[in-house]
Amino acid sequence: MSAAAKRAEQLRAELREHNERYYLQDDPSIGDDQYDALLDELREIERQHPELVTADSPTQRIGAEPVSALEKVTHPQAMFSLANARSAEEFDGWVLRMRNHLAREGIENAAFQYVCEPKVDGLAISIVYRNGLLERGATRGNGEVGEDVTHNLRTIGTVPLSIDDAPAMIEVRGEVYMSLEDFQKLNERRASDGKPTFMNPRNAAAGTLRQLDPRLAAERPLSLWAYGVGACEGVSFSSQWETLEWLRQRGFPVNSEIELLGSEQEAIDRCLEWQQRRGSISFEIDGVVIKVDDAEQQRRLGVVGRDPRWAVAWKFPPTTKLTQLKAIEWSVGKFGDLHPFAVLEPVEVGGVVVQYATLHNEEDMSRKDLRPGDEVIILRAGDVIPQVVSPAPHAAERKGRSRPVGAPKKCPVCSAATVKPENSVFTKCPNRDCEGRREALLTHFVSRGAMDVDGLGEKLVVMLLQKGLIENAADLYSLTVTQLAALEGMGELSAQGIIASLEASKQRPFASVLFALGIEGVGEVTGRSLAQRLRTIDALLAADVDEISQTPGVGPIVGELITAQLADAQMRRLVGRLRAAGLQFEQDGPPPGEGPLADKSFVLTGTLPTLTREQASEKILAAGGRVTSSVSKKTDYLVAGEAAGSKLEKAERLAVAVLDETALLALLGEG
Ligand code: IVH
């Protein structure tokens, strides 16, 4: 094998392992930059040696050609749907029907074990693997015939492109979905780009998966939960539980909270528990699927119409409701942008009374032609901000009594005359001292992802502003426990907690501080790119438009916008004060490819005497080194602790240098 072929193979193995750590174990050992560097190296090898490209190479996830239409695909085995149960009585009815069915076959008083799985609200797909390679993925369609979405499925990081120890053919079934957070972000982004928003995460996932161009799918974060197997050759399963275990072992994402239960009562209890917890799960579930575990029992129970007798869906109440849109009002965003929101006839959705819902922006609102007085459909799921997704079907029959609502001519908070800048989907309040704008800016500053100040949210920000205790972000850092404890509804203990959170926020990385500042055009991602490229606030403040525009994801127009805001005297004063308060204004660690351990690759194994593996990794990364998970000839150092096993043997065989903790610290200059 040539050196290039070997390196390509090794890179693929490493990338696959990092992918698994990132997506399945939620425990990445390298940063995005390092991952990209490995991927780039592999791309370069494959460019020079096209004969080395394999179908399951991580480079093949993106970059497939758009398709001209979605081809029809007949599923190797029909995809079923599920009968519903909405109460314990209906559940008992299901069990009774199964018992009766088996009794007719001569099996009296059958006992069942049940697998309880969350019923994810996405779309069902079938993925065929032939000889271990992903061959084709298709949507459910009508159950017999679906649509070929292979090009888009490949872009989903959690979908394995190949599987080890594979049978000749296997059809993996699962649900493709979009997390609630990703759904909300996608809708916000679409709203600010002036595009129509999606009704719910399921529509967003379906719309994405059915795109013809895989680049569009790659930009939108989809995920997969695998929950079963359809047709297969060369392997068989004796139970649902065994099937899930098999899938899990081969790298498919299988929900870790799926349980095997021994009685009906336990299954019902579990359904009720899932229902309770529904709002705190990061993706939308519309029920629980209960499946008889034993494959032989499943076979005997068979299928009625489209529904297998051996499974049932415990359905939750819907997360959409009908209510009346009483009025359309406007709130002021952190850049003065005016956001329309709906004042609703209060209605209970998923255990919470909803009174307000977002309308995204003027365009979305007029596209849906929403008017006060209309009946509307609202969606509230998990932590997603409630949204008005559409007028109810009969709203169009309104008899001319209502009129469309336009953006206000005056700011609803400070009464300044509003403006509608070209290229903006939002009408704006131009007054920089607008109280509404200040509130939004400060609420953003303390939010998660920005300074992440625990215990400090919108309500308290408003109170602090009203009492005149703060005017801007820097003032937060001069607050005292006594000042906070004197506020209505606040105890000494909570006050101490908030001061401690503010103190802790001083350790937030430079990228988060840049994001927190509330610079138009600097989101989380751009904040990170700017921090990585320019390294320090001084360099950033000194940078000219060209330099800023060259930052990935910025470009000339946004570059201009960012530069202007950074040049502003008020912004510079704020930065100066935050700096004096002790916030991070420099990027940690050397730029990628620099530092004392630049380009050195490390593998960690065993238990170190004082450092955890994460701490050791961080130190190596901070010095510019790379941490990978498997030992190869390219490994520069193996850091071995107590109970090091096969990795140590391999390192010795390959004559890779072995370090203990002391030697590592010495190498880092800390010894
Ligand atoms: S099993 C028994 N398991 O629910 C074969 N379906 O109404 C039927 N779904 O089309 C599918 N989570 O889209 C199964 N853990 C799960 C599921 C699940 C979500 C969806 C799937 C299916 C629909 C059935």
Side-chain angles (χ1 to χ4, degrees), residues 59-70 148-155 211-217:
T59 56
Q60 302 303 298
R61 283 196 185 273
I62 27 178
E65 288 298 309
V67 298
S68 54
L70 300 179
D148 188 336
V149 290
T150 317
H151 58 298
N152 291 330
L153 271 177
R154 298 180 75 96
T155 67
Q211 291 291 331
L212 300 177
D213 186 345
R215 274 169 304 185
L216 291 172

Side-chain angles (χ1 to χ4, degrees), residues 80-82 117-120 124 140 175 227 289 291 308 310-311:
F80 299 127
S81 49
L82 293 170
E117 306 175 3
K119 187 170 184 302
V120 189
R140 178 175 182 279
E175 195 86 352
Y227 56 63
V289 183
K291 299 176 182 169
W310 48 268

Side-chain angles (χ1 to χ4, degrees), residues 76 128-135 166-170 233:
V128 172
Y129 290 83
R130 203 170 293 278
N131 299 319
L133 275 189
L134 190 161
E135 183 180 76
M169 194 284 281
I170 189 159
E233 293 162 21

Side-chain angles (χ1 to χ4, degrees), residues 324-383:
Q324 197 197 27
L325 173 61
K326 292 206 294 193
I328 292 170
E329 293 186 0
W330 301 80
S331 67
V332 185
K334 59 182 181 290
F335 306 123
D337 30 328
L338 299 183
H339 298 264
F341 67 92
V343 183
L344 303 165
E345 184 58 39
V347 63
E348 193 253 43
V349 197
V352 173
V353 176
V354 176
Q355 212 167 358
Y356 302 105
T358 175
L359 290 166
H360 296 296
N361 62 43
E362 299 152 58
E363 248 171 85
D364 208 45
M365 190 170 85
S366 61
R367 196 178 292 117
K368 292 173 184 164
D369 190 24
L370 294 166
R371 305 181 191 187
D374 285 352
E375 282 266 286
V376 293
I377 299 173
I378 58 160
L379 164 81
R380 185 204 152 263
D383 288 337

